Amino acid sequence: FFHTGGMQVPYLAFADDVIVFTRLSRDVLEAVADFFRLYQQFSGQKINVAKSCFVCPSGTPEGQVQLVACILRFQRQFFPLIYLGVPISRGRSASIAFDGIVAKVRARVCHWSTRLLSTGGKLILIKHVLNSMPLYLLQVLKPPKAVLAALGRVFNAFLWDKAQDDKRIHWTSWETMCFPTEEGGVGVRSLEDMVKAFSCKLWWRLRQRRSIWADYMFSKYIGDQHPLQAVAARPKGTWKRLIGYARWLRLAFRGA
């Protein structure tokens, strides 16, 4: 994983989850395979080939794909790739990346809908269980607005409906429910506000520059400039998210 600005990231590792970035030439792949063999020999641990995979960019010639499979004996996988519970894909985060968490929330609601729960009990479950389930993903991915709207509909339906097939009147919108109690809401945390908070946290971590991720972002997008002065021809992904909320923060503090 190399950027011409000068920083090279050969791998990412956390516990036993490792991603190795490499070229698809025979000599490099054989060097990686030799390293894996040496690691198994000296550590006494064995790499589970059945659980290991490789991902090639779209448009990779079939010959190179077969070369990787032959040398490393891994199975090919396509994006999105799950790493540490987060779907990794190229480009902006599509709604499909959040299908898993939406399905989990729906399954939890479906299980609870078979029980006799008061409105107050449902509200507690929404605040402390359902609303917390997507937070892990929201820290690293910015979901499309359609995903947040879908989760809001699930929460609202669970709060007002008696059973899965018994629909009642929804007396107020979910956006209103997320207002503080003194403003007419019930104090449920807005997922949209949580996305903003996590984005600001990412910006703070970038400015602190105490991680490989921050160093990489500086190398690719910022260089020797001030982060707010960095200009990208086509900002996308995490950088687009960061710079958008950084400007929002600047305006918010100026008006405070």
Side-chain angles (χ1 to χ4, degrees):
F1 192 85
F2 180 77
H3 178 250
T4 54
M7 182 172 182
Q8 184 176 357
V9 181
Y11 66 90
L12 298 175
F14 182 84
D16 60 343
D17 291 313
V18 181
I19 296 180
V20 178
F21 304 98
T22 182
R23 295 192 300 273
L24 300 183
S25 60
R26 178 179 289 274
D27 55 341
V28 173
L29 291 173
E30 289 178 347
V32 172
D34 289 339
F35 172 79
F36 288 161
R37 282 193 290 269
L38 289 173
Y39 172 80
Q40 294 177 97
Q41 178 181 347
F42 288 103
S43 68
Q45 298 176 333
K46 187 175 181 180
I47 297 174
N48 192 330
V49 177
K51 293 184 177 179
S52 302
C53 66
F54 68 93
V55 180
C56 295
S58 58
T60 301
E62 187 62 28
Q64 288 186 310
V65 174
Q66 294 299 327
L67 183 65
V68 179
C70 179
I71 295 177
L72 299 181
R73 297 185 296 113
F74 297 162
Q75 297 294 322
R76 186 180 185 182
Q77 187 170 327
F78 299 89
F79 288 117
L81 172 71
I82 304 298
Y83 179 64
L84 301 180
V86 176
I88 300 175
S89 59
R90 300 189 67 180
R92 60 179 298 183
S93 300
S95 298
I96 191 174
F98 297 86
D99 284 351
I101 191 63
V102 174
K104 288 181 180 179
V105 171
R106 290 184 186 276
R108 187 67 62 90
V109 167
C110 184
H111 175 68
W112 286 339
S113 296
T114 61
R115 303 185 180 186
L116 295 175
L117 297 171
S118 65
T119 303
K122 290 181 178 181
L123 192 57
I124 290 176
L125 290 174
I126 291 173
K127 284 184 176 181
H128 301 288
V129 181
L130 296 181
N131 216 26
S132 300
M133 292 175 67
L135 294 188
Y136 177 70
L137 279 182
L138 299 185
Q139 293 185 66
V140 291
L141 297 178
K142 182 182 178 182
K145 292 184 179 180
V147 173
L148 300 181
L151 289 172
R153 286 194 297 269
V154 174
F155 295 166
N156 215 18
F158 172 64
L159 179 65
W160 296 110
D161 298 340
K162 288 183 178 179
Q164 202 167 9
D165 299 324
D166 185 9
K167 305 300 181 183
R168 292 197 297 177
I169 297 175
H170 295 192
W171 293 105
T172 185
S173 67
W174 182 248
E175 290 75 15
T176 303
M177 299 287 290
C178 294
F179 287 165
T181 52
E182 57 270 18
E183 297 180 17
V186 294
V188 179
R189 288 183 301 181
S190 167
L191 292 180
E192 187 174 352
D193 289 344
M194 295 306 299
V195 171
K196 291 181 181 179
F198 286 134
S199 300
C200 295
K201 184 178 180 180
L202 277 178
W203 176 254
W204 176 250
R205 287 184 172 178
L206 176 71
R207 294 299 306 273
Q208 285 185 312
R209 200 172 180 178
R210 296 178 182 175
S211 64
I212 296 177
W213 169 79
D215 289 340
Y216 173 78
M217 296 297 286
F218 264 83
S219 175
K220 184 173 184 179
Y221 294 107
I222 302 172
D224 297 329
Q225 308 173 76
H226 187 280
L228 286 175
Q229 295 176 338
V231 178
R234 292 184 177 179
K236 56 185 179 180
T238 302
W239 176 248
K240 185 176 181 180
R241 174 185 184 180
L242 287 174
I243 203 66
Y245 281 102
R247 290 167 180 163
W248 173 79
L249 271 174
R250 193 176 186 183
L251 293 174
F253 279 105
R254 276 185 176 180

